Amino acid sequence: MEGQLMALAIETYKVTLIISLPILITGLVIGLLVSIFQATTQINEMTLSFVPKILGVIAVIIFTMPWMLNMLTDYTTNIISFIPKFIS
């Protein structure tokens, strides 16, 4: 029983990491590129670093939403199918 719960917890962390990675990597790469641009041009405008990240993250969320929903649906189906095993 404890082994199954640990496997479920590990699977939860894996799904969370896999789903969030595209969004986090996009924010990281855009932030890095904007920082390099600001350092080379010496422009220190706050909105210049904020707006491109928001637009990039929104674009990635829209682009990867079907994949994320499929992954979450499969995960939820697995959890629901494990409920009878945990009750008995």
Side-chain angles (χ1 to χ4, degrees), residues 1 7 13 15 19 21 23-24 26 29 32 34 38-40 42 45 53 66 68-69 73 79-80 83 85 87:
M1 182 81 148
Y13 291 132
V15 168
I19 287 177
L21 269 179
I23 298 167
L24 294 173
T26 301
V29 169
L32 183 65
V34 169
Q38 284 181 329
T40 56
Q42 295 181 352
E45 181 64 31
K53 279 192 234 179
M68 286 188 223
L69 287 175
T73 303
I79 288 180
I80 291 173
I83 290 175
K85 295 177 187 177
I87 293 175

Side-chain angles (χ1 to χ4, degrees), residues 22-24 26-28 30 52-62:
I23 298 167
L24 294 173
T26 301
L28 177 76
I30 292 174
K53 279 192 234 179
I54 292 295
L55 294 177
V57 166
I58 289 172
V60 168
I61 288 173
I62 290 171

Side-chain angles (χ1 to χ4, degrees), residues 3-15 75:
Q4 290 176 340
L5 289 174
M6 288 303 294
L8 186 63
I10 290 170
E11 186 181 356
T12 302
Y13 291 132
K14 284 181 184 178
V15 168
Y75 176 71

Side-chain angles (χ1 to χ4, degrees), residues 35-87:
S35 295
I36 290 170
F37 175 75
Q38 284 181 329
T40 56
T41 61
Q42 295 181 352
I43 297 174
N44 289 326
E45 181 64 31
M46 194 65 183
T47 57
L48 184 62
S49 65
F50 185 70
V51 172
K53 279 192 234 179
I54 292 295
L55 294 177
V57 166
I58 289 172
V60 168
I61 288 173
I62 290 171
F63 181 70
T64 59
M65 186 60 70
W67 170 74
M68 286 188 223
L69 287 175
N70 284 337
M71 183 167 271
L72 284 174
T73 303
D74 292 342
Y75 176 71
T76 304
T77 304
N78 287 339
I79 288 180
I80 291 173
S81 68
F82 281 138
I83 290 175
K85 295 177 187 177
F86 289 134
I87 293 175

